[in-house]
Amino acid sequence: MAVADEISRIARLDFASVTPDDFARMVKGLSGRQLAEISRDGALRARVLGEVFGRMERQFRPEAAGSLTALIRWTVTGGGAGPDVVYETRIADGTCTVRQGRSAAEPRLALAMADAEFLRLVSGNASPVVLFVTRKVRVTGDVALAAGLARYFDIPKA
């Protein structure tokens, strides 16, 4: 399928009806060029990122987090195709809350990556270790927290 046709199909999706596993399969089936195209379409990018971050609270695993307290700042850089988008995930008292934007608080962990790497990471289509080693994700702060971050969320399997 042509890049424009696939992006058009994705843009028409009702993301609320897409399960995490369906999302993982969708991302797995997209080429790097198609993922880059999503980041160039400002409205589609905002919808996709909003849906992913909107689901983080529901996919949080409080039993795995235990007494963890952390502010995690996510910066999705756009890879030159769009402006940086910042979300913050606060884990405390067995809950996870997500908000868009940068607070004045100092994060325990800050992660920065381009859209394609972010989508692959949160859909279970990329190894966080490989992304770190290949410098596709920048980690600032608690590296041990970054290494174990996936266990705090139900990550789909593509």
Side-chain angles (χ1 to χ4, degrees):
M1 183 178 288
V3 172
D5 293 338
E6 184 63 15
I7 299 307
S8 178
R9 184 186 71 77
I10 293 168
R12 290 189 306 271
L13 281 176
D14 172 11
F15 287 115
S17 68
V18 176
T19 69
D21 289 334
D22 290 340
F23 179 74
R25 282 189 292 279
M26 182 178 69
V27 170
K28 185 176 187 174
L30 295 174
S31 68
R33 187 171 169 212
Q34 290 167 322
L35 288 169
E37 194 60 35
I38 289 171
S39 70
R40 281 192 272 284
D41 181 326
L44 179 56
R45 180 180 188 229
R47 282 183 56 219
V48 170
L49 293 177
E51 187 63 35
V52 169
F53 282 104
R55 290 179 181 207
M56 278 189 178
E57 292 176 5
R58 293 189 307 266
Q59 290 181 244
F60 178 65
R61 298 178 59 222
E63 70 283 356
S67 62
L68 175 67
T69 299
L71 174 66
I72 302 159
R73 181 171 295 142
W74 305 80
T75 302
V76 183
T77 64
D84 290 358
V85 175
V86 176
Y87 279 84
E88 291 184 339
T89 305
R90 183 173 301 281
I91 298 172
D93 303 319
T95 63
C96 173
T97 55
V98 179
R99 66 178 289 280
Q100 186 173 5
R102 179 184 309 265
S103 69
E106 187 66 30
R108 180 169 167 183
L109 172 64
L111 302 164
M113 67 202 85
D115 291 71
E117 285 71 31
F118 174 75
L119 292 175
R120 287 182 179 123
L121 178 68
V122 299
S123 66
N125 285 294
S127 161
V129 173
V130 170
L131 290 176
F132 177 73
V133 169
T134 59
R135 297 181 181 187
K136 302 233 172 159
V137 61
R138 289 187 318 273
V139 177
T140 306
D142 189 338
V143 176
L145 175 59
L149 196 57
R151 75 174 164 248
Y152 304 123
F153 297 91
D154 285 326
I155 307 287
K157 305 292 183 252

